């Protein structure tokens, strides 16, 4: 037997022991690893063994015994532990990003969002205003003469400033197709702005809610949107008629205010997280809860939730300063990203997120003022990045299309961070 065959066998044995470990048979996995003389270090979670079995079925000579339902498997978009648990990141570490633009509000920055195509970014503030910025203009200004916070020249990235709320703006979302921006506020209202018109600063529609708004999320078609308020029930609104729908089963709802809600990219599901500590996955058609991760962060309130691009996993962050990756097919936590919040639990609701290709998980640390990041596949900690804010960072959102993110702080500033792919 040559060295290549030995390495292949060791790799196969590691897959077997890894599968046993993550199926709950830890003692058997360790005993088998010792018996075979291979490493007893816990491997990263992977479904590669299952994939290999399916591939073997496809090429089996006994065609009659094949399961007709087995289809060739192809790598999916973004993070997929089934295929790429050992792939190295191809994008720059978050600590390499630099601030290339700063915009200021007249009060703390409380919300931010990129448009689905990454060309626009909006920031919301406690001064009741919303700014919409042109990302291409921000990048064009990089290295140009002029103040970092813009100016009267033609490259000023702030293309709209909207006013219609009576209190702090807490949530913003771009319509996926039309020039509409949705916002929520402490004034217990949801507002739709048409930003295609230069002179219009007021909302074209206003919806009165029962409590302050914590999060909003558009259906990928734009026909509906979700709203999470300081209330136990997630709302589903028709964008045109503003008609409201809620789940009819009381047992499905959270038992405390909902802090975040997000649609999956294909709209087949949406996910919510609340101060009750639960993460709930909902069917996007029936509006019923189909899965609950109870006490997802050991009972700590949930700060943020989001799906991966392929809809196989949910990323959650909690007030325990821990970020977790949940696998929907097995209803378990695959990876916990730890090391932030070294001084204890956080006191502010700060969201975590992926970079644009899901190579990294990113999270602003409340106490240190630094950006923590991890390899999303292995949970290896990366270098800290100084965020440069003079007060706690309350907002973090990464571009869906490029190496760029925005942070917002109690220092009244929103910083645009960017990593030029071809630095001079």
């Amino acid at each position: 037997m040559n060295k290549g065959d030995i390495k292949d066998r060791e790799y196969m044995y590691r897959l077997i022991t890894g599968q046993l470990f993550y199926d709950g048979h830890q003692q058997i996995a360790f005993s088998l690893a010792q018996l075979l003389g291979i490493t007893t270090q816990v491997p990263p979670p992977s479904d590669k063994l299952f994939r290999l079995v399916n591939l073997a079925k496809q090429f089996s000579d006994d065609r009659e015994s094949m399961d007709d339902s087995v289809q060739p498997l192809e790598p999916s978009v973004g993070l997929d532990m089934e295929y790429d648990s050992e792939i190295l990141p191809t994008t720059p570490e978050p600590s390499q990003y630099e601030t290339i633009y700063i915009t200021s509000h007249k009060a703390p920055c409380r919300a931010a969002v990129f448009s689905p195509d990454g060309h626009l970014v909006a920031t919301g503030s406690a001064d009741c205003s919303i700014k919409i910025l042109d990302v291409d203009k921000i990048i064009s200004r990089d290295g140009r003469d002029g103040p970092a916070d813009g100016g009267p020249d033609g490259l000023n990235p702030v293309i709209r400033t909207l006013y219609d709320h009576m209190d702090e703006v807490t949530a913003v979302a771009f319509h996926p197709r039309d020039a509409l921006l949705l916002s929520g506020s402490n004034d217990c209202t949801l507002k739709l702005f048409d930003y295609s018109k230069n002179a219009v600063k007021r909302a074209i529609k206003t919806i009165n809610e029962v409590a302050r708004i914590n999060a909003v999320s558009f259906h990928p078609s734009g026909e509906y949107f979700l709203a999470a308020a300081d209330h136990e029930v997630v709302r589903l609104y028709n964008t045109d008629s503003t008609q409201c729908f809620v789940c009819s089963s009381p047992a499905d709802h959270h038992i405390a205010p909902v802090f975040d809600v997000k649609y999956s990219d294909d709209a087949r599901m949406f996910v919510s997280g609340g101060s009750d500590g639960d993460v709930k996955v909902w069917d996007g058609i029936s509006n019923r809860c189909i899965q609950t991760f109870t006490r997802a962060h050991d009972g700590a309130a949930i700060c943020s939730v989001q799906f991966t691009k392929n809809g196989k996993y949910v990323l959650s962050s909690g007030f325990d300063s821990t970020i977790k990756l949940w696998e929907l097919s097995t209803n378990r936590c695959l990876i916990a990203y730890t090391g932030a919040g070294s001084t204890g639990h956080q006191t502010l609701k700060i969201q975590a997120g992926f970079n644009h290709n899901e190579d990294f998980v990113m999270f602003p640390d409340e106490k240190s003022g630094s950006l923590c990041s991890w390899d999303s596949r292995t949970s290896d900690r990366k270098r800290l990045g100084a965020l440069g804010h003079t007060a706690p960072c309350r907002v973090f959102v990464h571009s869906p299309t490029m190496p760029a993110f925005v942070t917002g702080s109690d220092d009244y500033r929103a910083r645009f961070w960017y990593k030029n792919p071809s630095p001079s």
Side-chain angles (χ1 to χ4, degrees), residues 68 78 83 119 126 137 149 156 236 256 274 340 390 412:
D68 292 336
Y83 293 93
H119 290 313
K137 287 185 178 181
D149 59 352
N156 185 2
L236 173 67
T390 58
Y412 299 9

Side-chain angles (χ1 to χ4, degrees), residues 18 22 41-47 81 85-86 334-335 377-379:
Y22 286 102
Q41 182 179 359
V42 177
S46 171
D47 286 330
M81 304 303 292
S85 60
E86 297 178 3
L334 280 185
I335 302 177
R377 298 171 179 87
T378 65
S379 74

Side-chain angles (χ1 to χ4, degrees), residues 293-304:
F293 301 112
T294 305
R295 294 177 54 84
H297 287 256
D298 297 325
I302 305 302
C303 295
S304 66

